[in-house]
Amino acid sequence: MTAIRVITVDDEPLARERVSTLVHETAGLELVGEGGNGLEALDLITRLAPDLVFIDVEMPELSGFGVI
């Protein structure tokens, strides 16, 4: 089975760490990147082409909705 490639994006480090930990602990998911804001999310999505993105809605500079 091929793992689902995941990135997590949140401007709050503790929240991002928690989601990343849950991804690590979930069979079938592979964490391939983490970001701290919407601009980083765009870069990670472009470079890594993840299958799934866990992204915070409210972030400075560019919101999760702005990334979508």
PDB file of all heavy atoms in Angstrom, residues 28-68:
ATOM      1  N   GLY A  28      -0.510   4.483   7.165  1.00  0.00           N
ATOM      2  CA  GLY A  28      -0.924   4.863   5.818  1.00  0.00           C
ATOM      3  C   GLY A  28      -0.686   6.320   5.480  1.00  0.00           C
ATOM      4  O   GLY A  28      -0.932   6.739   4.354  1.00  0.00           O
ATOM      5  N   LEU A  29      -0.218   7.118   6.464  1.00  0.00           N
ATOM      6  CA  LEU A  29       0.090   8.525   6.212  1.00  0.00           C
ATOM      7  C   LEU A  29       1.585   8.750   6.354  1.00  0.00           C
ATOM      8  O   LEU A  29       2.225   8.179   7.235  1.00  0.00           O
ATOM      9  CB  LEU A  29      -0.645   9.447   7.192  1.00  0.00           C
ATOM     10  CG  LEU A  29      -2.164   9.444   7.165  1.00  0.00           C
ATOM     11  CD1 LEU A  29      -2.703  10.456   8.166  1.00  0.00           C
ATOM     12  CD2 LEU A  29      -2.704   9.731   5.778  1.00  0.00           C
ATOM     13  N   GLU A  30       2.134   9.593   5.499  1.00  0.00           N
ATOM     14  CA  GLU A  30       3.551   9.953   5.561  1.00  0.00           C
ATOM     15  C   GLU A  30       3.669  11.474   5.567  1.00  0.00           C
ATOM     16  O   GLU A  30       3.247  12.134   4.606  1.00  0.00           O
ATOM     17  CB  GLU A  30       4.295   9.381   4.352  1.00  0.00           C
ATOM     18  CG  GLU A  30       5.733   9.807   4.270  1.00  0.00           C
ATOM     19  CD  GLU A  30       6.401   9.425   2.948  1.00  0.00           C
ATOM     20  OE1 GLU A  30       5.730   8.899   2.050  1.00  0.00           O
ATOM     21  OE2 GLU A  30       7.605   9.691   2.839  1.00  0.00           O
ATOM     22  N   LEU A  31       4.223  12.032   6.623  1.00  0.00           N
ATOM     23  CA  LEU A  31       4.428  13.476   6.704  1.00  0.00           C
ATOM     24  C   LEU A  31       5.625  13.843   5.832  1.00  0.00           C
ATOM     25  O   LEU A  31       6.738  13.365   6.060  1.00  0.00           O
ATOM     26  CB  LEU A  31       4.674  13.919   8.142  1.00  0.00           C
ATOM     27  CG  LEU A  31       4.810  15.415   8.354  1.00  0.00           C
ATOM     28  CD1 LEU A  31       3.475  16.111   8.072  1.00  0.00           C
ATOM     29  CD2 LEU A  31       5.270  15.722   9.763  1.00  0.00           C
ATOM     30  N   VAL A  32       5.391  14.686   4.825  1.00  0.00           N
ATOM     31  CA  VAL A  32       6.472  15.063   3.915  1.00  0.00           C
ATOM     32  C   VAL A  32       6.881  16.525   4.059  1.00  0.00           C
ATOM     33  O   VAL A  32       7.878  16.942   3.481  1.00  0.00           O
ATOM     34  CB  VAL A  32       6.113  14.747   2.441  1.00  0.00           C
ATOM     35  CG1 VAL A  32       5.974  13.250   2.232  1.00  0.00           C
ATOM     36  CG2 VAL A  32       4.860  15.475   1.996  1.00  0.00           C
ATOM     37  N   GLY A  33       6.113  17.310   4.839  1.00  0.00           N
ATOM     38  CA  GLY A  33       6.481  18.705   5.018  1.00  0.00           C
ATOM     39  C   GLY A  33       5.609  19.421   6.021  1.00  0.00           C
ATOM     40  O   GLY A  33       4.489  18.991   6.302  1.00  0.00           O
ATOM     41  N   GLU A  34       6.149  20.509   6.569  1.00  0.00           N
ATOM     42  CA  GLU A  34       5.437  21.363   7.522  1.00  0.00           C
ATOM     43  C   GLU A  34       5.696  22.812   7.161  1.00  0.00           C
ATOM     44  O   GLU A  34       6.803  23.158   6.748  1.00  0.00           O
ATOM     45  CB  GLU A  34       5.930  21.136   8.953  1.00  0.00           C
ATOM     46  CG  GLU A  34       5.677  19.767   9.508  1.00  0.00           C
ATOM     47  CD  GLU A  34       6.140  19.655  10.955  1.00  0.00           C
ATOM     48  OE1 GLU A  34       6.027  20.637  11.711  1.00  0.00           O
ATOM     49  OE2 GLU A  34       6.636  18.576  11.306  1.00  0.00           O
ATOM     50  N   GLY A  35       4.685  23.648   7.357  1.00  0.00           N
ATOM     51  CA  GLY A  35       4.849  25.066   7.098  1.00  0.00           C
ATOM     52  C   GLY A  35       4.179  25.899   8.170  1.00  0.00           C
ATOM     53  O   GLY A  35       3.304  25.418   8.892  1.00  0.00           O
ATOM     54  N   GLY A  36       4.592  27.173   8.257  1.00  0.00           N
ATOM     55  CA  GLY A  36       4.089  28.055   9.291  1.00  0.00           C
ATOM     56  C   GLY A  36       3.168  29.157   8.804  1.00  0.00           C
ATOM     57  O   GLY A  36       2.668  29.936   9.605  1.00  0.00           O
ATOM     58  N   ASN A  37       2.943  29.237   7.488  1.00  0.00           N
ATOM     59  CA  ASN A  37       2.033  30.259   6.966  1.00  0.00           C
ATOM     60  C   ASN A  37       1.580  29.879   5.554  1.00  0.00           C
ATOM     61  O   ASN A  37       2.061  28.905   4.975  1.00  0.00           O
ATOM     62  CB  ASN A  37       2.691  31.650   6.989  1.00  0.00           C
ATOM     63  CG  ASN A  37       3.931  31.728   6.136  1.00  0.00           C
ATOM     64  OD1 ASN A  37       3.912  31.412   4.952  1.00  0.00           O
ATOM     65  ND2 ASN A  37       5.044  32.143   6.733  1.00  0.00           N
ATOM     66  N   GLY A  38       0.669  30.644   5.018  1.00  0.00           N
ATOM     67  CA  GLY A  38       0.108  30.347   3.715  1.00  0.00           C
ATOM     68  C   GLY A  38       1.115  30.395   2.580  1.00  0.00           C
ATOM     69  O   GLY A  38       1.030  29.608   1.632  1.00  0.00           O
ATOM     70  N   LEU A  39       2.062  31.325   2.659  1.00  0.00           N
ATOM     71  CA  LEU A  39       3.072  31.413   1.605  1.00  0.00           C
ATOM     72  C   LEU A  39       3.958  30.172   1.597  1.00  0.00           C
ATOM     73  O   LEU A  39       4.292  29.638   0.537  1.00  0.00           O
ATOM     74  CB  LEU A  39       3.914  32.683   1.785  1.00  0.00           C
ATOM     75  CG  LEU A  39       3.141  33.997   1.656  1.00  0.00           C
ATOM     76  CD1 LEU A  39       4.055  35.188   1.934  1.00  0.00           C
ATOM     77  CD2 LEU A  39       2.495  34.107   0.290  1.00  0.00           C
ATOM     78  N   GLU A  40       4.308  29.682   2.791  1.00  0.00           N
ATOM     79  CA  GLU A  40       5.076  28.442   2.878  1.00  0.00           C
ATOM     80  C   GLU A  40       4.249  27.277   2.345  1.00  0.00           C
ATOM     81  O   GLU A  40       4.778  26.363   1.705  1.00  0.00           O
ATOM     82  CB  GLU A  40       5.510  28.165   4.312  1.00  0.00           C
ATOM     83  CG  GLU A  40       6.608  29.073   4.803  1.00  0.00           C
ATOM     84  CD  GLU A  40       7.027  28.773   6.240  1.00  0.00           C
ATOM     85  OE1 GLU A  40       6.663  27.701   6.778  1.00  0.00           O
ATOM     86  OE2 GLU A  40       7.714  29.618   6.826  1.00  0.00           O
ATOM     87  N   ALA A  41       2.953  27.301   2.614  1.00  0.00           N
ATOM     88  CA  ALA A  41       2.064  26.242   2.125  1.00  0.00           C
ATOM     89  C   ALA A  41       2.111  26.175   0.604  1.00  0.00           C
ATOM     90  O   ALA A  41       2.223  25.088   0.030  1.00  0.00           O
ATOM     91  CB  ALA A  41       0.635  26.474   2.602  1.00  0.00           C
ATOM     92  N   LEU A  42       2.017  27.319  -0.055  1.00  0.00           N
ATOM     93  CA  LEU A  42       2.077  27.340  -1.522  1.00  0.00           C
ATOM     94  C   LEU A  42       3.385  26.749  -2.039  1.00  0.00           C
ATOM     95  O   LEU A  42       3.394  25.964  -2.987  1.00  0.00           O
ATOM     96  CB  LEU A  42       1.904  28.764  -2.045  1.00  0.00           C
ATOM     97  CG  LEU A  42       0.525  29.387  -1.883  1.00  0.00           C
ATOM     98  CD1 LEU A  42       0.549  30.838  -2.360  1.00  0.00           C
ATOM     99  CD2 LEU A  42      -0.523  28.584  -2.625  1.00  0.00           C
ATOM    100  N   ASP A  43       4.480  27.101  -1.394  1.00  0.00           N
ATOM    101  CA  ASP A  43       5.783  26.573  -1.785  1.00  0.00           C
ATOM    102  C   ASP A  43       5.833  25.058  -1.593  1.00  0.00           C
ATOM    103  O   ASP A  43       6.266  24.323  -2.483  1.00  0.00           O
ATOM    104  CB  ASP A  43       6.893  27.253  -0.985  1.00  0.00           C
ATOM    105  CG  ASP A  43       8.256  26.700  -1.327  1.00  0.00           C
ATOM    106  OD1 ASP A  43       8.639  26.736  -2.522  1.00  0.00           O
ATOM    107  OD2 ASP A  43       8.950  26.208  -0.403  1.00  0.00           O
ATOM    108  N   LEU A  44       5.390  24.585  -0.412  1.00  0.00           N
ATOM    109  CA  LEU A  44       5.413  23.148  -0.133  1.00  0.00           C
ATOM    110  C   LEU A  44       4.528  22.367  -1.099  1.00  0.00           C
ATOM    111  O   LEU A  44       4.911  21.297  -1.580  1.00  0.00           O
ATOM    112  CB  LEU A  44       4.959  22.886   1.308  1.00  0.00           C
ATOM    113  CG  LEU A  44       5.925  23.308   2.405  1.00  0.00           C
ATOM    114  CD1 LEU A  44       5.228  23.272   3.770  1.00  0.00           C
ATOM    115  CD2 LEU A  44       7.153  22.414   2.414  1.00  0.00           C
ATOM    116  N   ILE A  45       3.353  22.892  -1.374  1.00  0.00           N
ATOM    117  CA  ILE A  45       2.434  22.217  -2.293  1.00  0.00           C
ATOM    118  C   ILE A  45       3.050  22.123  -3.687  1.00  0.00           C
ATOM    119  O   ILE A  45       2.989  21.077  -4.335  1.00  0.00           O
ATOM    120  CB  ILE A  45       1.073  22.936  -2.321  1.00  0.00           C
ATOM    121  CG1 ILE A  45       0.359  22.763  -0.979  1.00  0.00           C
ATOM    122  CG2 ILE A  45       0.215  22.429  -3.474  1.00  0.00           C
ATOM    123  CD1 ILE A  45      -0.836  23.681  -0.782  1.00  0.00           C
ATOM    124  N   THR A  46       3.671  23.202  -4.128  1.00  0.00           N
ATOM    125  CA  THR A  46       4.292  23.219  -5.451  1.00  0.00           C
ATOM    126  C   THR A  46       5.472  22.249  -5.532  1.00  0.00           C
ATOM    127  O   THR A  46       5.608  21.494  -6.489  1.00  0.00           O
ATOM    128  CB  THR A  46       4.766  24.649  -5.803  1.00  0.00           C
ATOM    129  OG1 THR A  46       3.640  25.522  -5.764  1.00  0.00           O
ATOM    130  CG2 THR A  46       5.405  24.692  -7.181  1.00  0.00           C
ATOM    131  N   ARG A  47       6.326  22.262  -4.513  1.00  0.00           N
ATOM    132  CA  ARG A  47       7.531  21.430  -4.531  1.00  0.00           C
ATOM    133  C   ARG A  47       7.262  19.960  -4.243  1.00  0.00           C
ATOM    134  O   ARG A  47       7.874  19.084  -4.864  1.00  0.00           O
ATOM    135  CB  ARG A  47       8.553  21.939  -3.510  1.00  0.00           C
ATOM    136  CG  ARG A  47       9.283  23.187  -3.909  1.00  0.00           C
ATOM    137  CD  ARG A  47      10.429  23.546  -2.959  1.00  0.00           C
ATOM    138  NE  ARG A  47      10.004  23.738  -1.576  1.00  0.00           N
ATOM    139  CZ  ARG A  47      10.307  22.921  -0.569  1.00  0.00           C
ATOM    140  NH1 ARG A  47      11.013  21.834  -0.769  1.00  0.00           N
ATOM    141  NH2 ARG A  47       9.893  23.185   0.659  1.00  0.00           N
ATOM    142  N   LEU A  48       6.347  19.683  -3.305  1.00  0.00           N
ATOM    143  CA  LEU A  48       6.186  18.310  -2.826  1.00  0.00           C
ATOM    144  C   LEU A  48       4.977  17.571  -3.388  1.00  0.00           C
ATOM    145  O   LEU A  48       4.892  16.351  -3.259  1.00  0.00           O
ATOM    146  CB  LEU A  48       6.111  18.315  -1.290  1.00  0.00           C
ATOM    147  CG  LEU A  48       7.314  18.932  -0.574  1.00  0.00           C
ATOM    148  CD1 LEU A  48       7.065  19.002   0.929  1.00  0.00           C
ATOM    149  CD2 LEU A  48       8.576  18.147  -0.876  1.00  0.00           C
ATOM    150  N   ALA A  49       4.033  18.287  -3.971  1.00  0.00           N
ATOM    151  CA  ALA A  49       2.819  17.687  -4.534  1.00  0.00           C
ATOM    152  C   ALA A  49       2.196  16.662  -3.590  1.00  0.00           C
ATOM    153  O   ALA A  49       2.054  15.495  -3.929  1.00  0.00           O
ATOM    154  CB  ALA A  49       3.115  17.063  -5.891  1.00  0.00           C
ATOM    155  N   PRO A  50       1.791  17.107  -2.388  1.00  0.00           N
ATOM    156  CA  PRO A  50       1.215  16.171  -1.415  1.00  0.00           C
ATOM    157  C   PRO A  50      -0.168  15.690  -1.866  1.00  0.00           C
ATOM    158  O   PRO A  50      -0.828  16.328  -2.688  1.00  0.00           O
ATOM    159  CB  PRO A  50       1.110  17.012  -0.147  1.00  0.00           C
ATOM    160  CG  PRO A  50       0.903  18.399  -0.655  1.00  0.00           C
ATOM    161  CD  PRO A  50       1.761  18.485  -1.892  1.00  0.00           C
ATOM    162  N   ASP A  51      -0.589  14.575  -1.287  1.00  0.00           N
ATOM    163  CA  ASP A  51      -1.927  14.059  -1.539  1.00  0.00           C
ATOM    164  C   ASP A  51      -2.962  14.732  -0.644  1.00  0.00           C
ATOM    165  O   ASP A  51      -4.133  14.820  -1.000  1.00  0.00           O
ATOM    166  CB  ASP A  51      -1.973  12.548  -1.273  1.00  0.00           C
ATOM    167  CG  ASP A  51      -0.974  11.791  -2.125  1.00  0.00           C
ATOM    168  OD1 ASP A  51      -0.984  11.996  -3.351  1.00  0.00           O
ATOM    169  OD2 ASP A  51      -0.189  11.004  -1.557  1.00  0.00           O
ATOM    170  N   LEU A  52      -2.510  15.191   0.521  1.00  0.00           N
ATOM    171  CA  LEU A  52      -3.402  15.745   1.538  1.00  0.00           C
ATOM    172  C   LEU A  52      -2.705  16.891   2.257  1.00  0.00           C
ATOM    173  O   LEU A  52      -1.515  16.797   2.572  1.00  0.00           O
ATOM    174  CB  LEU A  52      -3.766  14.646   2.542  1.00  0.00           C
ATOM    175  CG  LEU A  52      -4.664  14.978   3.720  1.00  0.00           C
ATOM    176  CD1 LEU A  52      -6.048  15.425   3.250  1.00  0.00           C
ATOM    177  CD2 LEU A  52      -4.778  13.764   4.641  1.00  0.00           C
ATOM    178  N   VAL A  53      -3.451  17.975   2.514  1.00  0.00           N
ATOM    179  CA  VAL A  53      -2.912  19.130   3.237  1.00  0.00           C
ATOM    180  C   VAL A  53      -3.821  19.436   4.418  1.00  0.00           C
ATOM    181  O   VAL A  53      -5.017  19.652   4.237  1.00  0.00           O
ATOM    182  CB  VAL A  53      -2.821  20.376   2.321  1.00  0.00           C
ATOM    183  CG1 VAL A  53      -2.306  21.578   3.102  1.00  0.00           C
ATOM    184  CG2 VAL A  53      -1.946  20.101   1.110  1.00  0.00           C
ATOM    185  N   PHE A  54      -3.253  19.427   5.615  1.00  0.00           N
ATOM    186  CA  PHE A  54      -3.959  19.912   6.801  1.00  0.00           C
ATOM    187  C   PHE A  54      -3.497  21.350   6.992  1.00  0.00           C
ATOM    188  O   PHE A  54      -2.319  21.597   7.255  1.00  0.00           O
ATOM    189  CB  PHE A  54      -3.606  19.082   8.038  1.00  0.00           C
ATOM    190  CG  PHE A  54      -4.182  17.695   8.020  1.00  0.00           C
ATOM    191  CD1 PHE A  54      -3.363  16.602   7.793  1.00  0.00           C
ATOM    192  CD2 PHE A  54      -5.541  17.495   8.222  1.00  0.00           C
ATOM    193  CE1 PHE A  54      -3.893  15.318   7.772  1.00  0.00           C
ATOM    194  CE2 PHE A  54      -6.074  16.213   8.204  1.00  0.00           C
ATOM    195  CZ  PHE A  54      -5.243  15.119   7.982  1.00  0.00           C
ATOM    196  N   ILE A  55      -4.439  22.311   6.841  1.00  0.00           N
ATOM    197  CA  ILE A  55      -4.044  23.720   6.872  1.00  0.00           C
ATOM    198  C   ILE A  55      -4.983  24.515   7.767  1.00  0.00           C
ATOM    199  O   ILE A  55      -6.202  24.312   7.766  1.00  0.00           O
ATOM    200  CB  ILE A  55      -4.008  24.305   5.436  1.00  0.00           C
ATOM    201  CG1 ILE A  55      -3.381  25.696   5.419  1.00  0.00           C
ATOM    202  CG2 ILE A  55      -5.379  24.287   4.795  1.00  0.00           C
ATOM    203  CD1 ILE A  55      -3.000  26.179   4.040  1.00  0.00           C
ATOM    204  N   ASP A  56      -4.393  25.419   8.546  1.00  0.00           N
ATOM    205  CA  ASP A  56      -5.145  26.327   9.411  1.00  0.00           C
ATOM    206  C   ASP A  56      -5.889  27.331   8.534  1.00  0.00           C
ATOM    207  O   ASP A  56      -5.404  27.728   7.471  1.00  0.00           O
ATOM    208  CB  ASP A  56      -4.163  27.041  10.337  1.00  0.00           C
ATOM    209  CG  ASP A  56      -4.844  27.899  11.388  1.00  0.00           C
ATOM    210  OD1 ASP A  56      -6.044  27.713  11.638  1.00  0.00           O
ATOM    211  OD2 ASP A  56      -4.150  28.753  11.977  1.00  0.00           O
ATOM    212  N   VAL A  57      -7.057  27.738   8.971  1.00  0.00           N
ATOM    213  CA  VAL A  57      -7.848  28.696   8.201  1.00  0.00           C
ATOM    214  C   VAL A  57      -7.338  30.119   8.418  1.00  0.00           C
ATOM    215  O   VAL A  57      -7.121  30.860   7.461  1.00  0.00           O
ATOM    216  CB  VAL A  57      -9.345  28.599   8.573  1.00  0.00           C
ATOM    217  CG1 VAL A  57     -10.141  29.690   7.903  1.00  0.00           C
ATOM    218  CG2 VAL A  57      -9.892  27.238   8.191  1.00  0.00           C
ATOM    219  N   GLU A  58      -7.125  30.509   9.669  1.00  0.00           N
ATOM    220  CA  GLU A  58      -6.711  31.881   9.978  1.00  0.00           C
ATOM    221  C   GLU A  58      -5.216  31.952  10.229  1.00  0.00           C
ATOM    222  O   GLU A  58      -4.720  31.464  11.236  1.00  0.00           O
ATOM    223  CB  GLU A  58      -7.459  32.387  11.206  1.00  0.00           C
ATOM    224  CG  GLU A  58      -8.940  32.574  10.961  1.00  0.00           C
ATOM    225  CD  GLU A  58      -9.651  33.183  12.145  1.00  0.00           C
ATOM    226  OE1 GLU A  58      -9.039  33.987  12.868  1.00  0.00           O
ATOM    227  OE2 GLU A  58     -10.813  32.835  12.354  1.00  0.00           O
ATOM    228  N   MET A  59      -4.510  32.568   9.287  1.00  0.00           N
ATOM    229  CA  MET A  59      -3.071  32.770   9.401  1.00  0.00           C
ATOM    230  C   MET A  59      -2.729  34.141   8.843  1.00  0.00           C
ATOM    231  O   MET A  59      -3.429  34.640   7.962  1.00  0.00           O
ATOM    232  CB  MET A  59      -2.303  31.699   8.605  1.00  0.00           C
ATOM    233  CG  MET A  59      -2.437  30.307   9.146  1.00  0.00           C
ATOM    234  SD  MET A  59      -1.417  29.123   8.245  1.00  0.00           S
ATOM    235  CE  MET A  59      -2.256  29.075   6.663  1.00  0.00           C
ATOM    236  N   PRO A  60      -1.642  34.740   9.339  1.00  0.00           N
ATOM    237  CA  PRO A  60      -1.221  36.032   8.790  1.00  0.00           C
ATOM    238  C   PRO A  60      -0.692  35.875   7.364  1.00  0.00           C
ATOM    239  O   PRO A  60      -0.328  34.785   6.946  1.00  0.00           O
ATOM    240  CB  PRO A  60      -0.105  36.477   9.744  1.00  0.00           C
ATOM    241  CG  PRO A  60       0.355  35.240  10.415  1.00  0.00           C
ATOM    242  CD  PRO A  60      -0.794  34.291  10.428  1.00  0.00           C
ATOM    243  N   GLU A  61      -0.672  36.935   6.638  1.00  0.00           N
ATOM    244  CA  GLU A  61      -0.169  37.019   5.266  1.00  0.00           C
ATOM    245  C   GLU A  61      -1.109  36.378   4.258  1.00  0.00           C
ATOM    246  O   GLU A  61      -1.577  37.037   3.354  1.00  0.00           O
ATOM    247  CB  GLU A  61       1.233  36.431   5.133  1.00  0.00           C
ATOM    248  CG  GLU A  61       2.283  37.158   5.929  1.00  0.00           C
ATOM    249  CD  GLU A  61       3.640  36.557   5.758  1.00  0.00           C
ATOM    250  OE1 GLU A  61       3.978  36.103   4.647  1.00  0.00           O
ATOM    251  OE2 GLU A  61       4.388  36.530   6.747  1.00  0.00           O
ATOM    252  N   LEU A  62      -1.377  35.082   4.390  1.00  0.00           N
ATOM    253  CA  LEU A  62      -2.232  34.386   3.453  1.00  0.00           C
ATOM    254  C   LEU A  62      -2.975  33.297   4.228  1.00  0.00           C
ATOM    255  O   LEU A  62      -2.362  32.411   4.793  1.00  0.00           O
ATOM    256  CB  LEU A  62      -1.403  33.768   2.316  1.00  0.00           C
ATOM    257  CG  LEU A  62      -2.149  33.064   1.199  1.00  0.00           C
ATOM    258  CD1 LEU A  62      -3.080  34.034   0.473  1.00  0.00           C
ATOM    259  CD2 LEU A  62      -1.164  32.439   0.215  1.00  0.00           C
ATOM    260  N   SER A  63      -4.302  33.369   4.241  1.00  0.00           N
ATOM    261  CA  SER A  63      -5.111  32.419   5.010  1.00  0.00           C
ATOM    262  C   SER A  63      -5.155  31.064   4.305  1.00  0.00           C
ATOM    263  O   SER A  63      -4.770  30.923   3.145  1.00  0.00           O
ATOM    264  CB  SER A  63      -6.535  32.942   5.171  1.00  0.00           C
ATOM    265  OG  SER A  63      -7.222  32.880   3.927  1.00  0.00           O
ATOM    266  N   GLY A  64      -5.677  30.079   5.017  1.00  0.00           N
ATOM    267  CA  GLY A  64      -5.873  28.770   4.425  1.00  0.00           C
ATOM    268  C   GLY A  64      -6.788  28.841   3.219  1.00  0.00           C
ATOM    269  O   GLY A  64      -6.575  28.172   2.208  1.00  0.00           O
ATOM    270  N   PHE A  65      -7.833  29.669   3.300  1.00  0.00           N
ATOM    271  CA  PHE A  65      -8.741  29.837   2.163  1.00  0.00           C
ATOM    272  C   PHE A  65      -8.030  30.502   0.988  1.00  0.00           C
ATOM    273  O   PHE A  65      -8.294  30.190  -0.170  1.00  0.00           O
ATOM    274  CB  PHE A  65      -9.983  30.640   2.552  1.00  0.00           C
ATOM    275  CG  PHE A  65     -10.934  29.861   3.413  1.00  0.00           C
ATOM    276  CD1 PHE A  65     -11.237  30.302   4.684  1.00  0.00           C
ATOM    277  CD2 PHE A  65     -11.536  28.696   2.958  1.00  0.00           C
ATOM    278  CE1 PHE A  65     -12.115  29.589   5.500  1.00  0.00           C
ATOM    279  CE2 PHE A  65     -12.413  27.974   3.756  1.00  0.00           C
ATOM    280  CZ  PHE A  65     -12.700  28.427   5.034  1.00  0.00           C
ATOM    281  N   GLY A  66      -7.120  31.420   1.271  1.00  0.00           N
ATOM    282  CA  GLY A  66      -6.338  32.055   0.217  1.00  0.00           C
ATOM    283  C   GLY A  66      -5.455  31.054  -0.506  1.00  0.00           C
ATOM    284  O   GLY A  66      -5.244  31.153  -1.714  1.00  0.00           O
ATOM    285  N   VAL A  67      -4.938  30.088   0.227  1.00  0.00           N
ATOM    286  CA  VAL A  67      -4.105  29.040  -0.375  1.00  0.00           C
ATOM    287  C   VAL A  67      -4.961  28.191  -1.311  1.00  0.00           C
ATOM    288  O   VAL A  67      -4.560  27.869  -2.422  1.00  0.00           O
ATOM    289  CB  VAL A  67      -3.449  28.163   0.697  1.00  0.00           C
ATOM    290  CG1 VAL A  67      -2.767  26.950   0.072  1.00  0.00           C
ATOM    291  CG2 VAL A  67      -2.444  28.969   1.510  1.00  0.00           C
ATOM    292  N   ILE A  68      -6.170  27.845  -0.847  1.00  0.00           N
ATOM    293  CA  ILE A  68      -7.073  27.021  -1.666  1.00  0.00           C
ATOM    294  C   ILE A  68      -7.427  27.768  -2.934  1.00  0.00           C
ATOM    295  O   ILE A  68      -7.413  27.245  -4.013  1.00  0.00           O
ATOM    296  CB  ILE A  68      -8.330  26.643  -0.880  1.00  0.00           C
ATOM    297  CG1 ILE A  68      -7.947  25.713   0.265  1.00  0.00           C
ATOM    298  CG2 ILE A  68      -9.361  25.980  -1.772  1.00  0.00           C
ATOM    299  CD1 ILE A  68      -9.058  25.481   1.265  1.00  0.00           C
TER     300      ILE A  68
END
